[in-house]
């Protein structure tokens, strides 16, 4: 379909008349010129798009209504799109992937801030089992939020939070712990490890090794929430990250920050390095809580 003919069709449909459409056009055009655009579009499609209901008034036929509903939103966004392109304010869909515990505990206030400032940006969220930089390299994600053991040269990062390791143990059952937790005292208690997230599992192992503890790994789970559920069920103890000083909280779980040596690691926003900056990523980074 010819876009110029569709433009004439749009204005006639909106103004319900050829003379009014010619006056409403954003550039000079005659009434016969508008009429010709519509007639050529009808010939191109082989259907009638308008029905005359008065001397200078027309209404859409059912097929004309179908075409108008499909085309009008596109045409009505052109002025806004032009202003955005000229002004450098670009909306659209930001593809963001993050680890599950970050989606639940870090992202909500961040996304509320972004939504309040930039309602023209839609965020497509997906949960990561681990920080898969291939998503950025293939263009399947614009922004990742996770921990990285090292930063490769083809990505850029910004620290958006800092997580600390917490010891979590059951408050009841055969492995119940009371009072202050001691990793040495937990050495004989079954350990619940991360399964899919290789990086968090590596952090667990490093923290245990730093304290000279090598417990028996009895269970593995994919998320911090599932691990806390296993701990609450009395199945063993674990180490999980927390973004707040309050630490992880769950009924049936005793939690204590890991100390001497403490296990702290940065959480990054990660995006692809390139000659052109992504305005959606820039808008998201402007809304990081506490930035």
């Amino acid at each position: 379909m010819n876009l110029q003919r569709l433009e004439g069709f749009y204005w006639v449909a909106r103004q319900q008349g050829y003379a009014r459409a010619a006056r409403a056009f954003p550039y000079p055009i005659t009434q016969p010129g508008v009429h010709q655009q519509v007639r050529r579009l009808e010939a191109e499609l082989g259907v009638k798009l308008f029905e005359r209901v008065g001397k200078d008034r027309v209404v859409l036929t059912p097929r004309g209504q179908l075409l108008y509903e499909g085309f009008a939103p596109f045409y009505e966004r052109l002025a806004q799109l032009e202003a955005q392109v000229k002004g450098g304010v670009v909306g659209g869909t930001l593809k963001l992937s993050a680890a599950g515990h970050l989606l639940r505990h870090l992202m909500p206030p961040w996304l509320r801030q972004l939504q309040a400032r930039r309602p023209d940006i839609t965020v497509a969220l997906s949960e990561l089992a681990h920080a898969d930089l291939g998503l950025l390299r293939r263009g399947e994600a614009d922004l990742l939020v996770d921990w990285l053991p090292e930063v490769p040269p083809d990505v850029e990062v910004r620290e958006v939070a800092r997580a600390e390791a917490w010891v979590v143990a059951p408050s009841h059952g055969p492995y119940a712990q009371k009072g202050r937790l001691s990793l040495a005292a937990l050495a004989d208690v079954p350990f619940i490890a991360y399964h899919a997230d290789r990086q968090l599992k590596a952090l667990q192992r490093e923290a245990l090794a730093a304290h000279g503890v090598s417990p028996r790994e009895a269970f593995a789970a994919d998320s911090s929430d599932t691990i806390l559920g296993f701990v609450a069920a009395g199945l063993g103890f674990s180490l999980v990250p927390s973004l707040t000083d309050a630490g992880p909280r769950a009924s049936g779980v005793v939690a204590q920050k890991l100390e001497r040596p403490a296990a702290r690691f940065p959480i990054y926003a990660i995006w692809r390095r390139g000659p052109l900056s992504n305005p959606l990523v820039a808008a998201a980074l402007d809304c990081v809580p506490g930035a």
Side-chain angles (χ1 to χ4, degrees), residues 4 64 75 107 159 162 174 177 181 233 247 268 290:
Q4 188 177 35
Y75 190 80
M107 298 311 303
E159 186 174 325
R162 185 164 286 269
Q177 303 292 313
L181 298 176
Y268 295 118

Side-chain angles (χ1 to χ4, degrees), residues 66-88:
L66 179 65
L67 179 61
Y68 181 78
E69 290 175 356
F71 175 70
F74 162 78
Y75 190 80
E76 288 165 358
R77 282 200 66 242
L78 286 179
Q80 177 189 1
L81 183 60
E82 179 184 5
Q84 289 177 333
V85 171
K86 288 180 177 178

